Amino acid sequence: MSGILVSAVLAAVKILSGVAGNSYALIADGVESTLDIFSSLVVYGALKISSTPPNEKYPFGYGRVEPLGAVVVSVALLMAAGGIAIQSVREIVMPHHPPAPFTLAVLLGVVATKELMYRRLLREGEAIGSRAVQSDAWHARSDALTSLAAFVGISVALIGGRGFESADDWGALAACLVIGFNGIRLFRAAMADVLDAAPPEDIEHRIRMMAGAVPDVKGIDKCRVRRSGLGLFVDIHVMVDGATTVRRGHDIGHAVQDALLTSPLGVVDAVIHIEPDPDLRRVREMS
């Protein structure tokens, strides 16, 4: 919640400074900061809901809410980029007074603050494997980039003098390209989780290795993994000796499940299918 408070203060400072200092780039930057408040609230709500335990109505839990929150945040980024770009073009074609020098000091403080927020949020998002938190981190980085672009544009306008008044608007327009790129990238990553895209190959490889290391497991056939919120759901086919009793096969399956659920990968559920090892069956038929 501290990030929301910081974003609110920065948004107010930028909008008021932009109005007083005659800089649309700073005003647009302040508007983009208000979206940070919205995105932070969405992320906070998504994480809280996704951590709700499963129930009869939702037996697989609420994990999908977390990537859906990331989708909302990425769409907000794209909308911010489009809105700022449109208004920047309008300001470019309309002559106006140059920005005030004090706006540069405001922007330097904003860039430093937002960059620190980005690094903190990104570390937290990567630590817990949250797309929503990582999206919120990049939203903070995008805010820092728009402020940096505004700083460059205002500097050019002040140094260049007459005829360079719209330089800060060109800076805001350039920042929109960065915001739009990040919005598209985050949207694609979030939608991959919503649509049950396969996780990185090393995750599946580690799951296969852990399951194969369980005593009396002869091999691993199919292994399907999907992410839901902050956890992984695994559907794996384990091969055992075909002469194994049903009870022993049941015990092996439970041992594999326990190994996966207690692993550091964040597996929240694992469905184990027991199958006879075809190689062992062929050996018996030949003997």
Side-chain angles (χ1 to χ4, degrees), residues 9-278:
V9 172
L10 290 178
V13 169
K14 285 191 284 188
I15 292 174
L16 292 175
S17 299
V19 172
N22 196 40
S23 171
Y24 175 69
L26 193 51
I27 296 174
D29 197 16
V31 172
E32 203 274 335
S33 289
T34 61
L35 286 174
D36 281 353
I37 302 171
F38 167 75
S39 65
S40 296
L41 289 172
V42 170
V43 170
Y44 176 79
L47 289 175
K48 191 170 184 178
I49 295 173
S50 65
S51 62
T52 303
N55 52 45
E56 291 185 2
K57 187 174 183 180
Y58 298 99
F60 293 99
Y62 297 79
R64 291 286 178 84
V65 175
E66 194 269 341
L68 286 175
V71 169
V72 172
V73 172
S74 60
V75 170
L77 275 173
L78 293 173
M79 292 176 63
I84 295 173
I86 292 172
Q87 191 59 34
S88 296
V89 172
R90 289 177 181 174
E91 292 292 321
I92 289 171
V93 300
M94 294 176 59
H96 55 79
H97 296 292
F102 79 85
T103 56
L104 293 176
V106 174
L107 287 168
L108 281 178
V110 169
V111 170
T113 303
K114 281 296 182 177
E115 182 64 18
L116 290 174
M117 288 181 61
Y118 158 76
R119 296 186 181 189
R120 179 178 63 83
L121 288 171
L122 189 63
R123 283 197 303 269
E124 292 177 358
E126 291 176 344
I128 64 176
S130 171
R131 294 284 190 194
V133 175
Q134 292 178 50
S135 296
D136 200 26
W138 277 103
H139 207 151
R141 166 58 70 84
S142 295
D143 199 6
L145 290 173
T146 56
S147 297
L148 185 61
F151 180 88
V152 173
I154 292 174
S155 298
V156 172
L158 292 173
I159 296 173
R162 189 175 180 83
F164 288 85
E165 293 87 354
S166 62
D168 69 320
D169 304 312
W170 281 104
L173 189 60
C176 291
L177 297 177
V178 178
I179 298 173
F181 172 79
N182 284 327
I184 293 173
R185 183 179 62 83
L186 294 170
F187 179 83
R188 294 178 61 183
M191 284 302 298
D193 285 347
V194 172
L195 298 176
D196 287 342
E201 291 185 2
D202 66 301
I203 297 294
E204 180 181 333
H205 176 71
R206 291 173 65 185
I207 289 174
R208 285 178 173 270
M209 292 294 291
M210 284 186 289
V214 173
D216 294 328
V217 171
K218 305 302 181 183
I220 305 298
D221 188 10
K222 296 179 181 179
C223 180
R224 295 182 297 181
V225 186
R226 67 179 179 88
R227 178 174 293 280
S228 182
L230 305 182
L232 298 174
F233 284 76
V234 178
D235 187 338
I236 189 169
H237 292 222
V238 175
M239 292 183 290
V240 301
D241 188 337
T244 300
T245 63
V246 173
R247 179 173 295 280
R248 179 56 187 155
H250 174 79
D251 292 339
I252 295 172
H254 266 290
V256 173
Q257 187 180 56
D258 291 341
L260 297 180
L261 294 180
T262 57
S263 73
L265 296 178
V267 177
V268 296
D269 191 25
V271 178
I272 315 299
H273 299 264
I274 300 298
E275 297 182 357
D277 186 351

